[in-house]
Amino acid sequence: MRITRYAAAVGALGLVLAGCSSEAGQQAEDAAENTAEVAEDVDFEPGTTMAELSEAGAITVGTKYDQPGFGLLNPQTQDPEGFDVEIAKIVAGELGIEADAIEWTETVSANREPFIQNGQVDIVVATYTINDTRKQVVDFAGPYYVAGQDIMVAAGNPEGIQGPEDLVGKTVCSVEGSTPAQNIRDNYAGANLVTYDVYSKCADDLANGNVQAVTTDNVILTGLVAGNPEGFELVGNPFTEEPYGIGLALGDTEFRDFINDVLEDAYEDGRWAEAWDRTAGAITGEEAPEPPAVDRY
Ligand code: GLU
C-alpha cells in the first residue's frame, strides 16, 4: 500500500514539474535542497520545551507524506517536502536545530492528536485545522495559512457538482479524523461518505470511478489535480474556513508563544512568503497571500 502511494505521489510531482514553467519547476526542485536559517547562540529558559529541544539538537515533527505542495515524501531522500515542511524547518532553525536533524514522522489526519498526546511527536505541521474540539486535547500555534473545504470531481464534472448540497445522493470520499469528513457527516447526511486514512487513496478511487467526488481543503485538492490534470478538476467553490495551526502539547504556553513569535518574524522578514513560493505556490501558481494574524488565545 505504501509503495503504491509513494509511486502515485512521485508521479504527481513529476507531472507537476513537467507542467510548470522551468523557473517554477526549478523552485519546486529547490524545495528539496533548501534548509531554513539556523539560529546560533540560542539561549532558552531552563526547563522549557525550547531549552530541551535545542539542547538535544533534534525535534520530531509530524507531517503528511502524500499531499503535494504541503507534505509529500521524496522517495529518494526519504524526507518530506512542501509548505508545512518548510514551516517546520523555520521553527526548528529558530531552536538552533538543523533541518537534517529533524526527525520526520508521517501523521495522517486521525493520528495527529494521539501522536501529540503520547509525545511521539514534538509538533505537528500537517494541514491541521485549529478548532475547539481539537483544542480540548492539544494546543495550536498559528494560524500560518487559511484554507477552505472544496470538492474535486472527475474532469468535465460529469455529475455537475457545484457545492456540498450537490453531494447528497452521491458517493464522496474524504479522510477519517478530518474536519471535511466531519462536516459531511454533520451537515450533508444524504451524501454517501467513504473514508480512508489518506487523501491519495480518495484520488485513486475518483480515478477508478469508485466515488463521484473527493472533499477536503482546496489546497490539498489543488495538489492532487496537479498530479492528474487530465483526470481531475477542482470545483473551486470553498465553503468553510480551515485555519492551519502547528499542533503541540496541551498547556505548553511558553512553547506556543515561542512558535507564534517565530511565525510573526517569518511573516515580516519574508521567509514565510519565500517558503510558499517554492512549495505550494509553485504548484498553484498563486502568489503568497497575506499571512493570517496569529491567534494568541
Ligand atoms: N484541514 C483539515 C483537517 O485538519 C483537512 C485536512 C487534513 O485532513 O489534513 O482535518
Side-chain angles (χ1 to χ4, degrees):
M1 229 37 218
R2 285 179 84 81
I3 287 160
T4 312
R5 190 142 49 79
Y6 295 161
V10 174
L13 187 64
L15 280 167
V16 168
L17 295 180
C20 287
S21 71
S22 59
E23 195 191 324
Q26 188 59 48
Q27 281 175 347
E29 277 173 6
D30 288 348
E33 305 298 321
N34 180 272
T35 55
E37 286 161 44
V38 178
E40 284 169 22
D41 303 326
V42 291
D43 186 20
F44 297 108
E45 184 89 17
T48 60
T49 301
M50 295 80 82
E52 275 167 32
L53 294 171
S54 76
E55 264 161 47
I59 184 169
T60 305
V61 178
T63 195
K64 298 295 186 88
Y65 278 13
D66 72 329
Q67 296 180 188
F70 275 76
L72 178 67
L73 194 78
N74 178 326
Q76 257 120 49
T77 62
Q78 287 295 304
D79 282 333
E81 295 166 4
F83 187 55
D84 282 341
V85 170
E86 293 306 311
I87 295 290
K89 287 179 188 171
I90 290 170
V91 173
E94 294 289 335
L95 290 164
I97 300 170
E98 302 277 346
D100 58 13
I102 299 173
E103 195 176 310
W104 302 104
T105 298
E106 182 180 18
T107 43
V108 299
S109 300
N111 66 21
R112 292 174 294 195
E113 289 94 285
F115 275 28
I116 293 169
Q117 290 175 286
N118 301 339
Q120 272 169 271
V121 294
D122 296 305
I123 56 172
V124 165
V125 195
T127 58
Y128 196 9
T129 295
I130 302 170
N131 67 26
D132 289 342
T133 312
R134 291 171 177 167
K135 273 156 76 176
Q136 314 257 312
V137 291
V138 299
D139 264 318
F140 289 98
Y144 60 89
Y145 184 75
V146 183
Q149 184 175 353
D150 209 324
I151 300 168
M152 180 172 83
V153 294
N157 197 355
E159 305 290 335
I161 294 169
Q162 303 301 334
E165 308 76 26
D166 300 330
L167 295 174
V168 173
K170 308 267 173 16
T171 320
V172 57
C173 189
S174 196
V175 158
E176 207 48 59
S178 72
T179 51
Q182 196 58 43
N183 187 20
I184 298 297
R185 284 197 181 103
D186 291 346
N187 299 311
Y188 306 96
N192 176 17
L193 180 68
V194 174
T195 58
Y196 290 107
D197 56 344
V198 290
Y199 293 105
S200 46
K201 291 180 187 169
C202 284
D204 290 346
D205 258 14
L206 182 63
N208 296 335
N210 293 340
V211 297
Q212 293 159 312
V214 177
T215 187
T216 186
D217 301 341
N218 49 359
V219 286
I220 299 173
L221 297 174
T222 301
L224 296 172
V225 171
N228 184 359
E230 311 278 289
F232 301 147
E233 73 181 52
L234 185 72
V235 168
N237 189 12
F239 48 93
T240 66
E241 283 209 342
E242 307 290 329
Y244 287 176
I246 298 178
L248 63 138
L250 185 68
D252 196 344
T253 309
E254 285 160 328
F255 193 31
R256 181 154 57 90
D257 286 346
F258 166 80
I259 299 175
N260 279 330
D261 291 344
V262 170
L263 288 174
E264 284 179 345
D265 288 349
Y267 293 171
E268 266 168 43
D269 64 22
R271 280 177 293 161
W272 180 88
E274 195 261 340
W276 172 270
D277 289 344
R278 277 187 293 104
T279 57
I283 287 182
T284 63
E286 278 167 32
E287 277 182 28
E290 269 301 302
V294 302
D295 177 11
R296 294 181 186 262
Y297 63 85

